[in-house]
Amino acid sequence: MSIADDASHQPDVMVEEAEFMQAVTEAIGQLPEREQLVMQLYYVEEFNLKEIGETLGVSESRVSQILSSVVKKLRGALKVDNAADTEKVETMRRA
């Protein structure tokens, strides 16, 4: 077990991560329904851009634009602007 692994199991880190996930969930809940659906399909259902496009009746390019726009909105809402916070979001996606 590495030092990074040890740090991720400390109570304060766990609370911070839980609070961050709650904030992400609330921010996603404020998005328009279509944007919520795109996020759900991509991050939860793990659809690729082509599959999402087929589901919504839009091109892969449009799905990519929607995802980029939503991520930008969420970063602004959550004030995520540094590499550590971005990595935290990606790590939670993979979990």
Side-chain angles (χ1 to χ4, degrees):
M1 184 177 285
S2 71
I3 293 173
D5 290 337
D6 290 340
S8 68
H9 290 93
Q10 294 177 359
D12 59 328
V13 173
M14 293 172 67
V15 168
E16 182 180 319
E17 288 177 358
E19 289 172 351
F20 183 77
M21 283 306 298
Q22 180 64 34
V24 170
T25 301
E26 289 173 8
I28 291 171
Q30 298 299 313
L31 295 171
E33 187 175 329
R34 183 175 180 157
E35 291 177 357
Q36 288 183 37
L37 177 59
V38 170
M39 295 293 287
Q40 170 82 22
L41 293 174
Y42 188 74
Y43 288 102
V44 178
E45 303 297 330
E46 298 184 356
F47 280 28
N48 62 38
L49 299 181
K50 182 177 181 181
E51 293 168 327
I52 297 170
E54 290 171 354
T55 301
L56 298 177
V58 299
S59 68
E60 289 178 60
S61 176
R62 181 65 187 130
V63 174
S64 180
Q65 290 171 342
I66 293 168
L67 275 171
S68 294
S69 173
V70 170
V71 169
K72 186 176 180 178
K73 283 182 190 179
L74 292 174
R75 284 184 176 157
L78 299 168
K79 297 175 181 45
V80 175
D81 58 4
N82 66 42
D85 287 339
T86 301
E87 178 61 26
K88 186 186 304 183
V89 171
E90 286 303 312
T91 299
M92 289 177 186
R93 175 181 182 231
R94 291 187 293 264

